[in-house]
């Protein structure tokens, strides 16, 4: 079967990566501990297994020199990195040159600079370090924060690994979960190469694209909770107002309960949905919510049609949060099992982890709102100390941007303590990136100036720095961001 694959610009790179994997006796797969990293790993694991290539999968919070060293110490000749690896090509290139392993990378983060790499192992592609088994949208001029995620890159690889028995298109559903989990949707919708993946998922009957209420929790939250917690578009008298949300629903004149319990959005008929949605829009208009905000109440939704109605797995956004709830709490094994189709015990476990994750996000957000953020020139920041887990402080920072007391027109930087270091997370907005902000550069350069390191995307990036260097870091970051904006 000859095909250019779902993303033609990446077809040659995918073929080179697939060839190297097919030549291996067995593969060690290393991936990142978030929803995108988990779905990347699940897609690659499934594709390798289907191709008859034995694979062992490990997850890392951050791929630093020590972690790469521990991977090199394993007796694998071939290592596949998904959802990270490009940014660490400086270190990986040393291991390739030393003959420690052969690498394959399917990633979407900013690649390292060729100047920092071993010259025998890499080449220069437009100022990015590159080598002969490297699948990354940025190397072909595609945007790694909005057009293809790590899971998307893994999916392109999976399609290239497919043989006569399977075309691996069923894995597109997981790729969409990864993209949604990395917040790649632009104005609520997946675009570019991601849109092509959606098409493949629809063709394979695993995915449906629709226009619906864009609130989080349509599959699983009872209606009053759905509305009460819907703070993305605050509606006075409903959002953050349990009694108000309940009264609003009761006043619609519909029968929205079954056996005395509130139904979910997924349980409603089309007519009922229409009535609730119109009521919401009407209330928002009456209470003076700006029109551009009201528009975002409705958006594109991605439904995993093979999953049971009323479960987290049916909605790409809820699925991705379920995965973050496992991987960011050292239970990536649980999330991987769920992605690979195991139900019962892993799914039960994941749901317990999810309620814990939700509580932590909501407490984290309250904490930021109580303590407030500190303005420092072109940035604003808060230090969560050990009150917010370092693995979710970035999600909290992103959720805080645009809430009361937090300027949506400035990047936000968050600190969280780890054992003996400080984890940094930063988030920007589309308009800020449009004006020149690139947080991956800010995080890398400001961190390096105080003895740490970092990277990521223009709109969302992170770093690790020595404890005690926070003020110096903010000063450096402020300076770089001011320059980017000038
Ligand atoms: O490591 P990774 O690329 O998976 O992490 C991406 C992170 O960036 C996600 O946690 C997501 O919340 C954040 N992000 C964002 N806004 C975007 C794109 C990504 O906040 N537009
Ligand atoms: O955890 P994750 O980054 O996947 O969350 C994605 C988004 O889903 C969050 O930024 C938040 O807006 C929303 N969310 C929510 N309530 C939760 C968990 C996530 O509204 N309990
Ligand atoms: O941890 P956080 O969600 O803030 O990460 C945001 C983005 O920055 C992710 O894409 C992550 O992979 C990247 N990052 C990085 N190096 C770090 C920390 C985060 O490249 N030291
Ligand atoms: Zn990712």
């Amino acid at each position: 079967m000859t095909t250019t694959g779902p993303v033609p610009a990446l077809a040659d790179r995918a073929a080179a990566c697939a060839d190297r994997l097919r030549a291996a006796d067995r593969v060690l797969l290393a991936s990142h501990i978030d929803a995108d990293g988990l779905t990347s790993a699940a897609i690659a694991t499934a594709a390798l297994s289907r191709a008859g290539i034995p694979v062992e999968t490990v997850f890392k919070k951050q791929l630093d020199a020590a972690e790469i060293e521990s991977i090199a110490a394993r007796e694998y000749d071939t290592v596949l990195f998904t959802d990270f690896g490009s940014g660490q090509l400086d270190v990986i290139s040393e291991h390739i040159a030393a003959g420690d392993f052969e690498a394959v990378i399917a990633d979407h983060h900013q690649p390292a600079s060729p100047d920092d790499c071993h010259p025998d192992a890499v080449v220069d592609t437009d100022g990015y370090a590159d080598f002969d088994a490297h699948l990354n949208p940025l190397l072909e001029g595609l945007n790694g924060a909005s057009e293809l995620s790590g899971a998307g890159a893994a999916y392109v690889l999976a399609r290239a690994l497919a043989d006569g028995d399977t075309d691996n298109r069923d894995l597109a559903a997981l790729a969409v979960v990864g993209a949604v989990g990395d917040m790649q949707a632009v104005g609520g919708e997946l675009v570019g190469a991601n849109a092509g993946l959606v098409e493949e998922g629809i063709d394979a009957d695993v995915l449906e694209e629709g226009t619906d209420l864009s609130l989080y929790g349509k599959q699983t939250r009872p209606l009053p909770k759905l509305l009460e917690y819907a703070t993305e578009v605050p509606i006075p008298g409903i959002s953050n107002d349990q009694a108000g949300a309940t009264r609003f629903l009761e006043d619609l004149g519909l029968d929205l309960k079954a056996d005395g319990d509130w139904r979910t959005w997924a349980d409603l008929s089309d007519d009922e949905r229409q009535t609730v949605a119109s009521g919401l829009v009407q209330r928002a208009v009456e209470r003076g919510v700006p029109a551009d905000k009201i528009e975002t109440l409705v958006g594109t939704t991605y439904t995993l049609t093979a999953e049971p109605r009323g479960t987290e797995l049916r909605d790409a956004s809820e699925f991705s949060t379920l995965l973050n709830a496992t991987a960011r709490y050292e239970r990536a094994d649980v999330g991987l099992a769920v992605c690979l189709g195991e139900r019962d015990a892993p799914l039960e476990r994941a749901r317990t982890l999810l309620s814990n994750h939700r509580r932590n996000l909501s407490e984290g957000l309250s904490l930021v709102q109580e303590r407030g953020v500190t303005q420092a020139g072109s940035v604003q920041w808060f230090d969560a100390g050990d009150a917010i887990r370092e693995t979710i402080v970035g999600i909290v920072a992103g959720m805080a941007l645009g809430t009361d007391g937090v300027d949506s027109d400035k990047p936000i930087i968050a600190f969280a303590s780890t054992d003996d270091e400080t984890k940094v997370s930063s988030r920007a907005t589309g308009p800020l990136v449009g004006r020149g902000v690139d947080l991956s550069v800010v995080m890398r350069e400001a961190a390096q100036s105080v003895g740490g390191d970092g990277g990521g995307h223009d709109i969302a990036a992170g770093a690790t720095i020595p404890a005690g260097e926070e003020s110096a870091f903010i000063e450096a970051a402020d300076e770089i961001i001011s320059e980017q904006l000038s």
Side-chain angles (χ1 to χ4, degrees):
M1 190 172 61
T2 55
T3 161
T4 51
V7 184
L10 293 172
D12 291 346
R13 291 180 178 276
C17 291
D19 284 347
R20 172 155 298 166
L21 293 169
R22 277 195 211 96
D25 295 329
R26 54 180 194 154
V27 171
L28 180 62
L29 164 57
S31 195
H32 192 208
I33 55 141
D34 64 3
D36 191 36
L38 262 180
T39 46
S40 302
I43 290 166
T45 303
L48 287 165
S49 305
R50 290 172 187 182
I53 305 163
V55 52
E56 180 189 346
T57 306
V58 295
F59 290 92
K60 308 284 178 193
K61 199 184 314 187
Q62 215 54 242
L63 191 63
D64 56 18
E67 292 291 5
I68 298 170
E69 185 61 51
S70 77
I71 287 169
R74 301 289 310 273
E75 307 228 307
Y76 280 84
D77 296 330
T78 305
V79 181
L80 168 60
F81 297 93
T82 58
D83 197 34
F84 54 27
S86 294
Q88 295 76 22
L89 252 174
D90 46 355
V91 181
I92 291 172
S93 67
E94 300 289 339
H95 287 283
I96 297 174
D100 294 341
F101 53 70
E102 292 213 80
V104 176
I105 298 177
D107 189 11
H108 68 128
H109 293 94
Q110 300 275 348
S113 158
D115 304 337
D116 299 332
C117 297
H118 196 293
D120 293 349
V122 306
V123 295
D124 187 325
T125 297
D126 297 333
Y128 289 140
D130 194 7
F131 75 117
D132 57 3
H134 193 191
L135 178 51
N136 184 321
L138 293 159
L139 297 165
E140 301 297 340
L142 306 179
N143 188 316
S146 60
E147 294 183 291
L148 200 70
S149 73
Y155 176 75
V156 173
L157 175 60
R159 295 278 282 115
L161 275 169
D163 56 30
D165 295 337
T166 167
D167 63 10
N168 283 337
R169 279 201 220 206
D170 58 314
L171 301 174
L174 286 174
V176 167
V177 172
V180 168
D182 254 10
M183 303 185 67
Q184 296 218 326
V186 177
E189 191 177 4
L190 293 175
V191 300
N194 278 324
L197 271 44
V198 171
E199 285 305 314
E200 295 217 331
I202 293 171
D203 286 347
D205 271 338
V206 293
L207 211 57
E208 228 169 63
E209 185 179 29
T211 304
D212 200 350
L213 203 62
S214 61
L215 304 184
Y216 177 89
K218 291 191 292 292
Q219 290 292 328
T220 58
R221 281 184 176 159
L223 285 164
K225 293 260 172 256
L226 177 77
L227 302 185
E228 177 193 345
Y229 292 148
T231 46
E232 297 95 327
V233 185
I235 303 176
I238 294 180
S239 311
N240 280 322
D241 184 343
Q242 192 184 344
T246 306
R247 218 176 315 114
F248 163 79
L249 288 164
E250 285 170 349
D251 290 349
L252 290 172
L254 298 172
D255 184 13
L256 299 177
K257 290 190 184 175
D259 300 331
D261 291 326
W262 285 99
R263 291 150 72 199
T264 64
W265 184 259
D267 295 332
L268 302 185
S269 69
D270 287 347
D271 283 350
E272 288 169 330
R273 285 185 194 174
Q274 193 58 48
T275 306
V276 178
S278 309
L280 266 185
V281 170
Q282 195 187 334
R283 172 68 72 91
V285 173
E286 285 165 8
R287 296 299 182 98
V289 178
D292 58 337
K293 273 273 180 192
I294 294 178
E295 252 171 49
T296 66
L297 269 173
V298 172
T300 307
T301 55
Y302 301 96
T303 304
L304 281 74
T305 50
E307 304 296 343
R309 218 172 273 278
T311 68
E312 295 84 358
L313 308 180
R314 187 145 171 115
D315 176 86
S317 160
E318 291 196 60
F319 197 154
S320 74
T321 303
L322 183 82
L323 295 180
N324 274 325
T326 66
R328 293 181 189 258
Y329 299 81
E330 283 151 38
R331 291 310 304 270
D333 57 317
V334 173
L336 182 65
V338 171
C339 286
L340 291 174
E342 285 180 47
R343 297 295 177 253
D344 304 330
L347 187 53
E348 264 324 293
R349 186 85 200 109
R351 286 188 173 134
T352 307
L353 288 161
L354 176 61
S355 53
N356 172 57
H357 177 52
R358 284 179 164 167
R359 192 171 50 243
N360 288 342
L361 289 181
S362 121
E363 286 175 5
L365 197 55
S366 304
L367 183 101
V368 177
Q369 275 158 349
E370 276 157 31
R371 292 197 194 161
V373 297
T374 306
Q375 302 295 329
S378 57
V379 293
Q380 53 194 340
W381 62 274
F382 66 90
D383 186 348
D386 50 20
I388 302 177
R389 227 182 139 86
E390 50 133 340
T391 52
I392 64 162
V393 75
I395 299 176
V396 174
M399 290 170 81
L401 202 53
T403 59
D404 272 351
V406 183
D407 193 345
S408 61
D409 210 31
K410 271 185 196 178
I412 186 166
I413 292 178
F415 297 113
S417 310
T418 66
D419 291 344
D420 45 4
E421 293 178 312
T422 295
K423 160 74 193 294
V424 192
S425 277
S426 61
R427 296 291 187 272
T429 62
L432 281 167
V433 169
R435 282 159 52 199
V437 168
D438 184 345
L439 292 176
S440 77
V441 172
V442 175
M443 289 296 112
R444 182 172 304 134
E445 290 182 358
Q448 285 175 354
S449 78
V450 300
D453 205 359
H457 308 288
D458 48 13
I459 200 160
T464 303
I465 58 172
E469 294 293 336
E470 294 80 6
S471 311
F473 180 89
I474 289 293
E475 227 171 274
D478 173 29
E479 200 169 301
I480 301 167
I481 294 169
S482 305
E483 249 166 60
Q484 290 178 341
L485 283 170
S486 70

